[in-house]
């Protein structure tokens, strides 16, 4: 599924990277417009969902998170992995 989120700093970077859709916080009309676009263009919705899934799988897989955590801890103690 495509990512649709309110346009707040906590969402902006991730949604921009995955090609999702942002709407102004509290703007129900803007949210409705985005949802209508996605319903009327299922191909666009599928492609946006595919990009989102690909990015999340790449950045947030257990292997990636574990490797990043290990790098961080090694940086704290001045070592290298």
């Amino acid at each position: 599924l495509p990512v649709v989120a309110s346009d707040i700093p906590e969402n902006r970077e991730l949604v921009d990277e995955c090609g999702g859709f942002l709407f102004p916080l509290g703007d129900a009309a803007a949210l409705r417009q985005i949802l209508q676009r996605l319903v009327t263009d299922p191909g666009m919705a599928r492609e946006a969902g595919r990009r989102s899934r690909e990015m999340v799988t790449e950045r947030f897989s257990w292997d990636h998170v574990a490797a990043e955590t290990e790098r961080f801890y090694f940086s704290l103690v001045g070592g290298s992995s």
Side-chain angles (χ1 to χ4, degrees), residues 44-57:
M44 179 180 67
R46 267 191 306 280
E47 178 58 21
R50 184 196 62 74
R51 285 191 317 266
S52 298
R53 184 174 41 258
E54 187 177 279
M55 193 275 296
V56 167
T57 300

Side-chain angles (χ1 to χ4, degrees), residues 1 5 11 23 25-26 33 35 50 53 58-59 67 80:
L1 295 173
N11 295 338
F23 62 93
L25 183 63
Q33 275 186 319
L35 294 176
R50 184 196 62 74
R53 184 174 41 258
E58 180 182 303
R59 283 190 52 197
S80 62

Side-chain angles (χ1 to χ4, degrees), residues 3-4 6 10 17-18 22 27 31 34 36-37 46 54-55 57 63 68-69 71 73 75-76 81:
V3 175
V4 178
S6 56
E10 295 82 4
E17 286 181 32
C18 74
L22 295 170
D27 189 339
L31 173 59
I34 291 170
Q36 284 175 335
R37 261 179 71 199
R46 267 191 306 280
E54 187 177 279
M55 193 275 296
T57 300
D63 290 338
E68 288 297 311
T69 302
R71 267 193 285 281
Y73 285 140
S75 76
L76 291 177
S81 55

